[in-house]
Each structure stands twice: as structure tokens, then as C-alpha cells.
């Protein structure tokens, strides 16, 4: 459904950054048959899941309605991990909560959190309640993986088999599970969005892990609020960016 919409392009700019193209729309190709189930999205050599924010190539993508709007889910993996270990970050910004825990500034807190999520908890933070819970969860996950030979992901019920995964470590296994859980939440959200936008001018034109890009018609202002409420139902915090092109600087 997302691929069918296509993304309107400025042909001259698109060709200067990517490849020759016929017409005024580019099309994507999502592939869910990856190791974790987290989709890749590459078509004709363009990696639509990782278009650079720094080289001007995002200016190639333009609105066919009135403007583009991107909804970004904030601190997605920490949010999902909080759900898994039953930790409540409260109503505020999660990275701000971490900054207070670490006693550092906001940007440093983001850096520290992601290093620990993907590389293991640092000694100086292992006694923080969140990371104590994460460590217990990671240890339990690893024990099941070793003893039973598999783990089952929440929601999707995808099975990760020990004998099919090489060079697996506790933190890597947790990351695989988080990527699968992120995708599972996103598929549920995407399905609701697709139903919501049926017969609307507004279109969902790109999905990339923690962000959703829409081509909005200003006649349908209520659609923005409906989509925002959908994310709230899943208790996800979002920020929005908008403009005439995909380059929201």
C-alpha cells in the first residue's frame, strides 16, 4: 500500500543524486525477509531507508498535494525496552529522563543510552533501576536462548533459533528482538494508518523504522490529529517536521 503511492520527485534533482528516471514519481520496494524482520527498502540502487540528510538529496522528493509531513517516534528502542521490562519513564521526554539519571546534558544522554542499549550497560550506570531491569531481562533472554535453543518475539511470534544464528551474544540477541518488536508495532500502526487514509487525498509515502512520511492535503487537517492520536494510543511520543520537500532543515 505504501509502495503504490510512490513519491513525487523533482526529476532534475533526483537524477543529479540518484539515477535517470521516467515520469515524476519514484517507487520504493520494502523487503521484510531480513534476519530480524526489520524491512530493508532499496530500489534501483537507492536505499530509501537511509537517504542522506546532509547532501541535499532529500530536496529531490516533493509534495504532490500541499506539503510533506514526517512523524518521528522519539527514543523508540528505549520506549520498547521500557515496555518489555515494565519501566515507566513518565510523561516527559525519555532522553531528558536519562539526562537526569546520568547527570549530563541531553545530547550526551542520547549518546550514552544508545551505546548501552547496543553494547552493554556501563559499570557506573548498572545500579540505575532501568538498567538493572534491562540486565535481568537480557540475562533471562540469553538463558532461554541457550537452554531451550530459541526465543519467541512478542507480537510477531517470530522464532530466533540458536542453531541458525552465528556469533550471537546477549546484547546482540536483545537488539534482534528489539528490531523485530519495532517492526511489529510499526506494522500494526501502518495498518491503522492505511485504513484511516482510505479514500483520502493525504497519502503515506514512506516508512523508515522510526519515522512515517506523509504527503498531506491541507483540506484534511483532521487527518493529522487522527494520526497523532493513533501514536498516542500506542503510548509513543512523536515529533513532527514539515515542508515542501523531504529536506526539513
Amino acid at each position: 500500500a505504501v509502495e503504490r503511492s510512490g513519491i513525487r520527485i523533482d526529476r532534475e534533482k533526483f537524477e543529479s543524486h540518484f539515477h535517470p528516471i521516467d515520469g515524476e514519481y519514484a517507487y520504493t520496494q520494502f523487503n521484510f525477509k531480513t534476519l530480524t524482520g526489520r524491512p530493508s527498502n532499496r530500489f534501483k540502487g537507492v536505499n530509501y531507508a537511509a537517504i542522506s540528510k546532509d547532501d541535499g538529496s532529500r530536496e529531490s522528493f516533493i509534495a504532490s498535494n500541499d506539503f510533506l509531513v514526517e512523524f518521528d517516534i522519539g527514543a523508540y528502542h528505549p520506549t520498547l525496552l521500557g515496555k518489555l521490562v515494565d519501566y515507566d519513564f513518565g510523561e516527559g521526554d525519555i532522553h531528558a529522563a536519562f539526562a537526569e539519571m546520568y547527570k549530563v546534558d541531553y545530547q550526551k544522554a542520547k549518546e550514552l543510552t544508545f551505546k548501552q542499549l547496543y553494547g552493554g550497560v556501563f559499570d557506573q550506570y548498572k545500579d540505575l533501576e532501568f538498567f538493572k531491569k534491562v540486565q535481568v531481562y537480557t540475562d533471562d533472554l540469553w538463558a532461554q536462548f541457550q537452554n531451550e535453543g530459541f526465543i519467541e518475539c512478542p507480537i510477531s511470534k517470530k522464532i530466533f533459533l540458536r542453531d541458525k544464528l552465528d556469533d550471537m551474544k546477549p546484547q546482540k540477541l536483545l537488539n534482534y528482538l528489539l528490531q523485530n518488536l519495532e517492526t511489529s508495532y510499526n506494522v500494526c500502526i501502518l495498518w491503522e494508518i492505511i485504513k484511516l487514509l482510505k479514500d483520502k487525498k493525504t497519502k503515506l509515502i514512506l516508512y523508515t523504522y522510526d519515522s512515517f512520511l506523509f504527503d498531506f492535503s491541507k483540506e484534511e487537517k483532521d487527518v493529522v490529529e487522527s494520526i497523532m492520536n493513533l501514536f498516542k494510543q500506542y503510548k509513543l511520543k512523536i515529533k513532527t517536521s514539515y515542508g515542501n520537500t523531504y529536506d526539513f532543515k
Side-chain angles (χ1 to χ4, degrees), residues 98-249:
F98 277 118
E100 192 173 321
M101 288 185 216
Y102 305 142
K103 309 302 181 192
V104 299
D105 65 44
Y106 187 90
Q107 200 57 41
K108 183 65 175 176
K110 285 180 72 172
E111 180 186 323
L112 286 169
T113 299
F114 287 117
K115 280 183 177 177
Q116 292 178 95
L117 284 186
Y118 308 129
V121 181
F122 299 161
D123 284 345
Q124 63 265 46
Y125 302 124
K126 66 183 181 182
D127 291 327
L128 293 173
E129 183 188 356
F130 173 74
F131 287 116
K132 279 163 66 171
K133 288 189 168 192
V134 168
Q135 193 61 57
V136 169
Y137 184 85
T138 306
D139 291 345
D140 288 347
L141 198 67
W142 184 247
Q144 182 190 340
F145 190 65
Q146 293 298 310
N147 297 332
E148 299 180 27
F150 73 95
I151 61 164
E152 182 182 88
C153 297
I155 303 178
S156 72
K157 306 304 180 185
K158 180 179 174 69
I159 302 290
F160 287 130
L161 293 169
R162 184 186 62 203
D163 295 341
K164 298 288 185 182
L165 296 172
D166 297 328
D167 192 32
M168 192 53 64
K169 296 178 176 63
Q171 210 66 34
K172 186 176 177 182
L173 183 64
L174 177 67
N175 189 31
Y176 274 36
L177 183 138
L178 282 174
Q179 286 189 34
N180 186 271
L181 184 60
E182 167 203 90
T183 305
S184 301
Y185 264 88
N186 287 346
V187 168
C188 294
I189 292 166
L190 284 163
W191 181 239
E192 293 300 322
I193 289 172
I194 288 163
K195 289 191 291 183
L196 183 69
L197 295 182
K198 187 181 179 184
D199 302 323
K200 298 282 196 299
K201 288 184 178 179
T202 295
K203 297 179 292 185
L204 174 63
I205 57 174
L206 188 64
Y207 144 64
T208 53
Y209 309 139
D210 59 358
S211 70
F212 299 72
L213 182 65
F214 296 86
D215 190 333
F216 262 108
S217 168
K218 61 186 179 185
E219 297 171 17
E220 300 171 340
K221 291 179 182 176
D222 59 318
V223 170
V224 178
E225 190 172 343
S226 297
I227 293 172
M228 290 181 79
N229 286 335
L230 179 59
F231 284 101
K232 285 178 186 174
Q233 287 171 27
Y234 283 90
K235 297 183 179 177
L236 298 170
K237 297 179 175 70
I238 59 168
K239 66 174 184 178
T240 58
S241 306
Y242 62 92
N244 294 321
T245 78
Y246 190 26
D247 193 343
F248 299 123
K249 291 176 186 174

Side-chain angles (χ1 to χ4, degrees), residues 56-80:
S57 59
R58 290 190 172 214
E59 291 183 11
S60 307
F61 304 98
I62 60 177
S64 62
N65 285 310
D66 296 300
F67 51 93
L68 299 181
V69 178
E70 185 176 57
F71 287 3
D72 271 311
I73 301 172
Y76 205 176
H77 281 192
T79 300
L80 294 177

